[in-house]
């Protein structure tokens, strides 16, 4: 099955009322079996458009997975439209009908025609019993195309995928690892590892996201351990070239990487925020076990609280502006006095959209305390939206401290 397509049926998806999480889940499960997905399609509950979509999928795909449209209402038309396209009769599956009948009667009511329709299946299909719902799934081979029909309810869809995929797909597994980098652009990263981009197994693909860059290594093999060995060799090649920018893999964040390094050194951390308004502390405390390292912090948004909580001189603010290297330095000094931690970060800056400090919007100062002393780094993010400036500043501070901690500072 080299050409796979996922079709989600439902007008509510097109209206934006429901997010199409089914396609993402199914793609992830297929990737574990080395099956590539080439198309994601969403189509509404319209017979003509649905038939056109199915016909196009039949022409271009070996394996088509359809979610939705198997329920009891009149707009659940997936089965009838596909049956018409394939020239198959609709038959009633007695085992499914018996399951539906028992469920309905256990609720104190009699079967109606909508209930019975859920037991209808395409002639010649393999009926897939629904372990957590009523409408069964269907597996159908139709010449050059294999069809898998699944309920649209995510809980039911997932249960059928978990029951079906291991039986149908064996002999190959696809394993992936995403390497995460900071302070290197996607194009520079691409250039550094371009010699790996042409490989077919393992494959290496670059991605960019919110100031970060990522390389996904994917390997197909008969066993997971074999695939992991293939990935490890490519990973080492990559880290030999751009390891200075690497901070973690898969679900790692800059916060998890920093906390991990500090915990390994049995060190503590605190944070003072003005510009970022608590964003950095939220990133840190989102990590399970953060309390082993992170002792706490303050959000001192006003000049008064900077003075009262951190001892920032009002004269310094008046002379140099609240967005200045001098204020960031006094903030980090005051923070360490307040918390007595080994490491610390302090943020002040101008996020806009208009300047209230006299500094250009996007000007940021970050105080960094390590065992060697205090440093203040300056950053500029011109022509960026407020939330982007805050996000980039938060990450730049975490990265700046992480680099220093790794060096033993």
């Amino acid at each position: 099955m080299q050409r796979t397509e996922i079709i989600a049926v439902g007008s509510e998806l097109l209206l934006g009322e429901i997010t199409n999480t089914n396609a993402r889940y199914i793609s992830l499960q297929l990737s574990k079996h080395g099956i590539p997905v080439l198309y994601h399609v969403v189509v509404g509950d319209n017979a003509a458009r649905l038939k056109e979509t199915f016909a196009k999928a039949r022409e271009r795909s070996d394996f088509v997975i359809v979610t939705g449209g198997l329920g009891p209402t009149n707009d659940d038309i997936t089965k009838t439209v596909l049956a018409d396209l394939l020239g198959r009769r609709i038959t009633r599956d007695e085992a499914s009908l018996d399951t539906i009948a028992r469920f309905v009667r256990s609720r104190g009511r009699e079967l109606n025609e909508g209930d019975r329709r859920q037991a209808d299946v395409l002639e010649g299909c393999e009926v897939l019993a629904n372990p957590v719902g009523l409408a069964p799934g269907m597996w159908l081979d139709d010449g050059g195309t294999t069809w898998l029909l699944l309920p649209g309810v995510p809980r039911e869809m997932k249960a059928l995928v978990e029951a079906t995929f291991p039986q149908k797909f064996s002999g190959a597994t696809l394993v992936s690892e995403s390497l995460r980098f900071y302070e290197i652009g996607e194009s520079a990263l691409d250039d550094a590892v371009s010699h790996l981009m042409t490989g077919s197994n393992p494959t290496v693909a670059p991605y960019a996201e919110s100031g970060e860059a990522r390389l996904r290594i994917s390997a197909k093999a008969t066993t997971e351990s074999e695939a992991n060995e293939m990935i490890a060799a490519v990973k080492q090649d990559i880290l030999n070239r751009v390891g200075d920018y690497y901070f973690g893999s898969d679900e790692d964040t800059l916060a998890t990487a920093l906390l991990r390094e500090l915990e390994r050194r049995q060190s503590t951390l605190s944070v003072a925020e003005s510009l970022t308004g608590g964003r950095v502390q939220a990133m840190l405390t989102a990590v399970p076990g953060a309390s082993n390292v992170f002792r706490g912090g303050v959000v001192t948004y006003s000049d008064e609280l900077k003075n009262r909580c951190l001892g920032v001189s009002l004269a310094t603010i008046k002379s140099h502006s609240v967005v200045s290297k001098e204020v960031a330095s006094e903030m980090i000094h005051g923070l360490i006095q307040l918390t007595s931690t080994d490491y610390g970060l302090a943020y002040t800056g101008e996020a806009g959209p208009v300047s209230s400090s006299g500094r250009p919007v996007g000007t940021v100062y970050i105080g960094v305390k390590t065992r060697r002393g205090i440093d203040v780094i300056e950053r500029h993010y011109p022509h960026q939206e407020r939330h982007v400036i805050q996000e980039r500043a938060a990450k730049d501070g975490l990265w700046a401290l992480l680099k220093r901690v790794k060096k033993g500072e």
Side-chain angles (χ1 to χ4, degrees):
M1 294 178 178
Q2 296 301 312
R3 298 171 298 173
T4 299
E5 181 163 346
I6 301 172
I7 301 173
V9 180
S11 297
E12 66 278 7
L13 296 168
L14 293 173
L15 293 170
E17 296 173 355
I18 297 176
T19 302
N20 183 19
T21 58
N22 285 355
R24 178 178 183 272
Y25 174 81
I26 294 169
S27 288
L28 287 171
Q29 301 311 306
L30 288 171
S31 71
K32 295 177 182 178
H33 297 280
I35 298 175
V37 177
L38 301 188
Y39 304 101
H40 281 186
V41 179
V42 178
V43 60
D45 303 305
N46 176 278
R49 286 191 289 273
L50 193 56
K51 187 174 183 179
E52 179 184 0
T53 300
F54 287 167
K56 188 170 185 177
R58 190 187 189 192
E59 292 175 1
R60 68 186 182 185
S61 300
D62 306 312
F63 184 33
V64 182
I65 301 175
V66 184
T67 65
L70 304 183
T73 63
N74 289 328
D75 62 353
D76 289 313
I77 56 176
T78 293
K79 291 179 285 192
T80 56
V81 170
L82 185 58
D84 179 49
L85 175 69
L86 303 182
R88 303 262 180 158
R89 293 189 306 116
I90 293 286
T91 62
R92 187 151 290 174
D93 182 64
E94 293 301 324
S96 298
L97 182 60
D98 182 58
T99 298
I100 293 167
R102 281 188 281 108
F103 175 83
V104 169
R105 286 164 185 156
S106 73
R107 296 298 189 269
R109 66 179 182 85
E110 292 299 313
L111 281 173
N112 58 38
E113 185 53 32
D115 296 325
R116 294 186 179 91
R117 275 201 302 270
Q118 291 189 89
D120 289 348
V121 298
L122 273 71
E123 176 187 26
C125 76
E126 177 186 347
V127 180
L128 307 174
N130 188 334
V132 296
L134 299 182
M138 282 161 267
W139 182 280
L140 179 65
D141 289 317
D142 178 60
T145 305
T146 298
W147 298 82
L148 174 59
L149 307 188
L150 298 169
V153 178
R155 176 169 171 266
E156 298 181 27
M157 176 275 299
K158 289 179 181 179
L160 276 167
V161 166
E162 290 169 4
T164 304
F165 281 13
Q167 296 178 9
K168 298 294 185 181
F169 311 127
S170 60
T173 185
L174 184 71
V175 177
S176 297
E177 181 178 350
S178 288
L179 311 185
R180 308 182 78 94
F181 301 86
Y182 202 78
E183 211 173 42
I184 182 172
E186 183 183 8
S187 60
L189 187 60
D190 184 85
D191 288 344
V193 298
S194 59
H195 65 293
L196 298 171
M197 298 294 186
T198 57
S200 58
N201 189 32
T203 61
V204 177
Y207 300 89
E209 50 185 69
S210 187
E212 300 178 20
R214 182 162 56 95
L215 289 174
R216 188 187 66 197
I217 312 170
S218 299
K220 185 187 293 187
T222 54
T223 65
E224 185 173 341
S225 61
E226 183 183 347
N228 282 326
E229 289 178 7
M230 295 166 67
I231 287 173
V234 174
K235 178 179 178 179
Q236 189 57 56
D237 187 352
I238 293 171
L239 295 185
N240 287 342
R241 298 168 186 272
V242 289
D244 288 346
Y245 305 99
Y246 170 76
F247 67 85
S249 294
D250 296 329
E251 300 305 314
D252 281 339
T253 64
L254 287 167
T256 60
L258 176 59
L259 290 170
R260 185 168 56 238
E261 287 294 325
L262 290 175
E263 184 168 16
R264 190 165 67 85
R265 291 166 171 78
Q266 298 183 321
S267 300
T268 55
L269 171 68
S270 59
V271 178
E273 298 180 72
S274 180
L275 162 82
T276 45
R279 188 182 297 257
V280 179
Q281 294 173 71
M283 289 176 173
L284 292 166
T285 55
V287 180
S291 59
N292 294 333
V293 170
F294 182 60
R295 291 294 178 262
V298 292
V299 178
T300 53
Y301 217 61
S302 69
D303 296 352
E304 179 186 0
L305 282 182
K306 288 181 180 68
N307 172 254
R308 187 190 307 171
C309 298
L310 299 175
V312 176
S313 167
L314 294 178
T316 300
I317 295 175
K318 184 176 182 180
S319 298
H320 299 282
S321 158
V322 70
V323 178
S324 64
K325 180 177 182 178
E326 291 77 9
V327 167
S329 179
E330 291 190 16
M331 285 178 69
I332 194 71
H333 274 98
L335 173 70
I336 299 305
Q337 286 187 347
L338 178 67
T339 61
S340 299
T341 55
D342 303 308
Y343 294 86
L345 288 168
Y347 293 80
T348 183
E350 186 61 75
V354 294
S355 175
S356 58
S357 65
R359 301 285 189 184
V361 172
T363 302
V364 173
Y365 295 92
I366 306 171
V368 182
K369 162 64 170 66
T370 68
R371 294 185 185 276
R372 290 192 178 182
I374 288 176
D375 184 23
V376 177
I377 61 176
E378 182 176 347
R379 292 287 184 269
H380 296 275
Y381 314 102
H383 314 300
Q384 298 292 331
E385 296 180 51
R386 181 180 179 86
H387 74 278
V388 174
I389 293 170
Q390 292 172 321
E391 181 81 6
R392 288 296 304 277
K395 289 184 174 182
D396 276 358
L398 293 170
W399 173 246
L401 182 55
L402 176 60
K403 287 192 300 182
R404 287 162 172 78
V405 172
K406 283 185 172 182
K407 292 177 182 176
E409 296 182 11

